[in-house]
Amino acid sequence: MRKRLLVILLVILSFSLHSQEIYDNFYKFKAELYNTALEKMEASIAEYREKTQKMQISEEEKLTLQNFLILEEVNLLNKDNSNKKKIFSKLKTQNDKSAVFMQGKKEFASRQMVFTQLGRY
C-alpha cells in the first residue's frame, strides 16, 4: 500500500515539475523576445506558437501558452493606436477558444458540485 502511494505521489510530482518547466521556458522566451529587434518580434511569436502546438502537453497547457502569446502580441500591437480593431479581434478570437475549452469543464464541475451537495443530505 505504501509503495503504491509513493509511486502515485512521484508521478504527480513529475507532472507538476514538467508543467513548471513549460512555463519557465515560456518566461525565458519572453525575456529573449524583449531583447529581440522590434521587426523580428512578430516572427518570434509565430515561431514559438508553432513550437507549442508540437509540444507533448495537455490541451489546457497549450491553451494557457496561447493565451500568454496573445498577450505578448497585444503588447506589441498596442504600440500603434491604429491597431485597436486588430487587438480586439485577436482577444475576442482567443476568448472564444477559451470559452469553448471551458464549456465542458464548467458543466462537469457544476454536476460534480450538485452531486457533492446532494450527498450531504
Side-chain angles (χ1 to χ4, degrees), residues 21-65:
E21 182 180 349
I22 291 166
Y23 298 120
D24 288 346
N25 288 338
F26 174 78
Y27 286 112
K28 287 178 188 174
F29 161 76
K30 184 176 176 177
E32 291 170 7
L33 181 68
Y34 285 95
N35 289 321
T36 303
L38 190 61
E39 311 82 48
K40 296 180 180 180
M41 284 182 163
E42 195 170 331
S44 293
I45 291 171
E47 183 180 316
Y48 194 84
R49 177 176 287 115
E50 190 175 306
K51 182 180 169 184
T52 61
Q53 291 304 315
K54 295 176 183 176
M55 289 180 180
Q56 297 296 320
I57 57 178
S58 72
E59 290 303 311
E60 182 175 2
E61 289 168 328
K62 284 182 183 180
L63 183 63
T64 301
L65 288 174

Side-chain angles (χ1 to χ4, degrees), residues 1-97:
M1 179 69 173
R2 285 184 181 178
K3 286 183 182 181
R4 188 179 278 177
L5 182 60
L6 182 61
V7 169
I8 291 171
L9 289 174
L10 288 174
V11 169
I12 292 171
L13 181 62
S14 69
F15 282 128
S16 297
L17 291 175
H18 179 67
S19 294
Q20 185 61 46
E21 182 180 349
I22 291 166
Y23 298 120
D24 288 346
N25 288 338
F26 174 78
Y27 286 112
K28 287 178 188 174
F29 161 76
K30 184 176 176 177
E32 291 170 7
L33 181 68
Y34 285 95
N35 289 321
T36 303
L38 190 61
E39 311 82 48
K40 296 180 180 180
M41 284 182 163
E42 195 170 331
S44 293
I45 291 171
E47 183 180 316
Y48 194 84
R49 177 176 287 115
E50 190 175 306
K51 182 180 169 184
T52 61
Q53 291 304 315
K54 295 176 183 176
M55 289 180 180
Q56 297 296 320
I57 57 178
S58 72
E59 290 303 311
E60 182 175 2
E61 289 168 328
K62 284 182 183 180
L63 183 63
T64 301
L65 288 174
Q66 289 172 3
N67 287 340
F68 288 161
L69 287 171
I70 288 293
L71 291 175
E72 294 309 317
E73 281 184 297
V74 166
N75 285 338
L76 185 62
L77 291 170
N78 209 24
K79 294 179 183 195
D80 183 0
N81 284 337
S82 66
N83 290 326
K84 298 296 181 188
K85 288 183 180 180
K86 192 173 183 180
I87 290 171
F88 178 79
S89 175
K90 284 185 175 291
L91 290 174
K92 178 157 180 17
T93 300
Q94 192 62 29
N95 185 57
D96 292 345
K97 288 179 185 178

